[in-house]
Amino acid sequence: LLKHWNATASRTGLDRPVDGIISPVAPTLAPQHNETNWWGYTSYWNLADYPAAVFPVGLKEISTDKSVTKLPICLQIIGRRLNEEKTLALLNLVDKLCNVTAKG
């Protein structure tokens, strides 16, 4: 994983690897509580000991036969191993950008 991460330096145009990765949290919207059967999108980073943080980017309205529910749409930001503070700083920056964009 580290070798692949470091190899991004040749693709950034800055001669240094990426600071973080933004990826989905799951293949679907948020499931009902205690209904998650697979957590591969997030557990991989935990097992690799890379810091990751989930953040909301919007809501999706879902209609069921009984009601209308708004489910969160979330992404995660992953940082380099042992870079928890930098990952949280990236999270803060991305969250601010998402909120500015959402407000117009």
Side-chain angles (χ1 to χ4, degrees), residues 15-88:
D15 200 32
R16 62 182 210 131
V18 297
D19 293 320
I21 300 168
I22 296 175
S23 74
V25 173
T28 63
L29 295 174
Q32 296 292 326
H33 188 63
N34 289 327
E35 296 280 326
T36 303
N37 295 324
W38 190 74
W39 48 88
Y41 283 67
T42 54
S43 64
Y44 177 81
W45 303 107
N46 293 109
L47 293 170
D49 199 23
Y50 277 56
V54 174
F55 60 98
V57 294
L59 295 171
K60 174 71 175 175
E61 199 170 275
I62 303 293
S63 297
T64 63
D65 31 329
K66 296 180 182 178
S67 65
V68 175
T69 305
K70 289 186 177 181
L71 296 176
I73 301 168
C74 296
L75 296 173
Q76 65 181 330
I77 190 157
I78 300 111
R80 293 177 67 101
R81 190 168 180 270
L82 302 175
N83 280 262
E84 288 81 0
E85 294 87 1
K86 185 181 262 188
T87 304
L88 291 175

Side-chain angles (χ1 to χ4, degrees), residues 55-56 89-103:
F55 60 98
L90 289 170
L91 174 66
N92 187 40
L93 176 64
V94 170
D95 184 53
K96 284 181 183 177
L97 291 171
C98 286
N99 284 328
V100 167
T101 304
K103 293 177 183 176

